[in-house]
C-alpha cells in the first residue's frame, strides 16, 4: 500500500457518516441503510477522498456502545460499499475494525490512539491498513471536566509522538499513519483555537495531520450561530493553511470547493 500522504494528498476531505442515533450533529440521520449508502455515494461524488463510517458517538458525555451494537450499525453499510468506495471506520474496537477491514475499509480512525483495545494495533498491522491516531484527554464521559494544559500544542504533539512510536513498535509502518489533535476531545474553546494556531508543532512530527472541526461546539461558541456551515468551512481552510492534510467534514461539497481555492493560492 502506498504512503498515506500519497494516497490522500493535501488537502483531502474525509466525509463523516455517523450511523448512530445520537451523534451531535448528524445523529439519527443515517440510521436507515439506504439513506446511509446514498449519503456515502454522494460524498464521494462531491469529492470526498474518504468516507468515515462511525457506529459509536464520541460526543461529550456519551457512554459508548458494545461491540455487538457497533457491528450491527456499521457492517451493513460496509457490506454494501466496502471495496467500492474509499471507507474508513471510526472505532476503537478491534472486532469492529476487523469486520470493517474484511469488508474493504482502508483506514482505521481510532480516537483513543490505540489505548482503548489492546488487540487493535495487531488488527491494523495484519491488514496493512492506514491508521489515524487522535489525541483525547480522558474519555468521552469525562473529557470536558475542566481540561487543563500548560502548552496544548506541545503536550498534544508529545502524546502523539509517543503513540506513533507505539504503533510502529506494534508493526504498523509509520508511512501508513496520520495524526489528529482531537479538536473538542478534552479541550476548551481556547485550547482548540491554540491547537489550530500552532498546528505547525504537530506538522513538525513529519506525519500528515488530520483535523476535524466540522460542526463542533467551539464554532457555535465563537459565532453564536446554529448554522455552522460557514464556520466549519472557515475552520477547515484555517487548518489547511496551517498545514493540515486531511479535513474531516460533514458538508463535503462546500468544504472541497473552499479547499480547492485555498490550495490554488497556496
Ligand atoms: N471527531 C468526532 C468523531 N471522530 N475522529 C477524528 N479522527 N477526529 C475528530 O475530530 C473526530 C473523530 C466527533 O464528531 P462526529 O463524528 O460528528 O460526532 P459523534 O462523535 O457524536 O458521532
Amino acid at each position: 500500500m502506498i504512503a498515506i500522504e500519497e494516497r490522500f494528498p493535501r488537502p483531502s476531505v474525509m466525509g463523516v457518516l455517523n450511523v448512530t442515533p445520537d451523534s451531535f450533529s448528524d445523529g439519527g440521520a443515517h440510521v436507515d441503510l439506504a439513506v446511509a449508502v446514498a449519503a456515502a455515494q454522494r460524498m464521494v461524488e462531491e469529492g470526498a477522498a474518504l468516507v468515515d463510517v462511525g457506529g459509536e458517538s464520541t460526543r461529550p458525555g456519551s457512554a459508548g456502545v458494545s461491540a455487538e451494537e457497533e457491528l450491527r450499525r456499521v457492517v451493513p453499510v460496509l457490506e454494501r460499499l466496502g471495496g467500492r468506495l474509499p471507507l474508513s471506520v471510526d472505532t476503537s474496537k478491534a472486532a469492529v475494525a476487523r469486520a470493517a477491514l474484511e469488508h474493504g475499509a482502508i483506514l482505521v480512525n481510532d480516537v483513543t490512539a490505540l489505548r482503548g483495545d489492546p488487540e487493535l494495533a495487531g488488527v491494523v498491522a495484519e491488514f496493512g491498513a492506514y491508521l489515524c491516531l487522535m489525541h483525547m484527554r480522558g474519555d468521552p464521559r469525562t473529557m470536558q471536566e475542566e481540561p487543563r494544559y500548560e502548552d496544548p500544542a506541545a503536550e498534544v504533539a508529545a502524546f502523539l509522538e509517543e503513540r506513533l512510536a507505539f504503533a510502529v513498535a506494534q508493526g504498523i509502518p509509520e508511512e501508513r499513519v496520520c495524526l489528529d489533535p482531537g479538536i473538542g476531545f478534552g479541550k476548551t474553546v481556547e485550547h482548540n483555537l491554540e491547537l489550530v494556531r500552532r498546528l505547525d508543532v504537530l506538522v513538525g512530527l513529519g506525519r500528515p495531520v488530520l483535523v476535524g472541526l466540522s460542526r463542533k461546539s467551539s464554532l457555535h461558541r465563537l459565532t453564536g450561530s446554529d448554522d455552522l456551515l460557514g464556520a466549519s468551512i472557515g475552520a477547515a481552510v484555517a487548518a489547511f493553511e496551517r498545514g493540515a492534510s486531511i479535513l474531516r467534514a460533514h458538508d463535503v461539497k462546500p468544504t472541497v470547493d473552499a479547499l480547492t481555492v485555498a490550495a490554488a493560492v497556496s
Side-chain angles (χ1 to χ4, degrees):
M1 213 185 271
I2 58 172
I4 192 167
E5 48 268 57
E6 287 173 50
R7 180 69 180 73
F8 302 109
R10 183 170 173 266
S12 286
V13 169
M14 169 192 263
V16 181
L17 186 73
N18 288 315
V19 282
T20 56
D22 56 346
S23 289
F24 70 85
S25 73
D26 62 347
H30 303 125
V31 176
D32 182 85
L33 178 60
V35 174
V37 166
Q41 283 166 333
R42 183 166 156 213
M43 286 181 203
V44 172
E45 280 161 25
E46 290 177 346
L50 194 59
V51 176
D52 192 35
V53 183
E56 175 178 50
S57 175
T58 48
R59 73 183 194 289
S62 75
V65 296
S66 66
E68 293 68 36
E69 178 61 18
E70 220 182 304
L71 285 164
R72 204 184 58 72
R73 293 175 182 178
V74 302
V75 166
V77 178
L78 288 150
E79 267 171 1
R80 282 283 295 277
L81 297 175
R84 295 205 289 125
L85 297 185
L87 299 181
S88 60
V89 62
D90 189 350
T91 191
S92 44
K93 297 188 184 74
V96 177
R98 177 176 290 285
L101 296 170
E102 279 170 356
H103 285 100
I106 56 173
L107 183 147
V108 175
N109 174 22
D110 178 15
V111 299
T112 74
L114 300 179
R115 294 173 302 157
D117 184 335
E119 310 285 316
L120 183 56
V123 172
V124 174
E126 180 187 329
F127 282 83
Y130 296 119
L131 173 67
C132 178
L133 296 171
M134 196 196 80
H135 175 272
M136 168 164 48
R137 173 69 57 87
D139 64 46
R141 248 175 323 112
T142 59
M143 65 191 180
Q144 291 306 98
E145 290 168 8
E146 289 190 60
R148 282 202 192 120
Y149 300 82
E150 294 280 321
D151 181 341
E155 288 167 50
V156 167
F159 169 88
L160 289 172
E161 191 171 25
E162 187 275 318
R163 298 319 295 163
L164 176 62
F166 175 81
V168 170
Q170 300 291 307
I172 300 166
E174 181 166 331
E175 55 275 13
R176 305 245 165 96
V177 183
C178 67
L179 306 175
D180 182 340
I183 301 298
F185 288 84
K187 285 119 190 159
T188 63
V189 174
E190 191 40 54
H191 295 145
N192 291 327
L193 295 176
E194 175 70 1
L195 285 167
V196 178
R197 198 176 289 128
R198 301 294 324 282
L199 206 64
D200 60 306
V201 178
L202 205 50
V203 173
L205 295 180
R207 299 310 308 140
V209 170
L210 187 154
V211 175
L213 267 152
S214 180
R215 299 189 192 171
K216 287 202 171 155
S217 64
S218 287
L219 303 181
H220 176 74
R221 303 259 181 80
L222 279 172
T223 61
S225 176
D226 290 331
D227 175 357
L228 294 178
L229 177 60
S232 299
I233 293 167
V237 170
F240 165 70
E241 295 205 317
R242 283 156 189 78
S245 289
I246 305 175
L247 289 308
R248 191 175 181 276
H250 298 81
D251 303 287
V252 169
K253 170 86 166 74
T255 309
V256 168
D257 286 351
L259 289 169
T260 301
V261 174
V265 298
S266 71

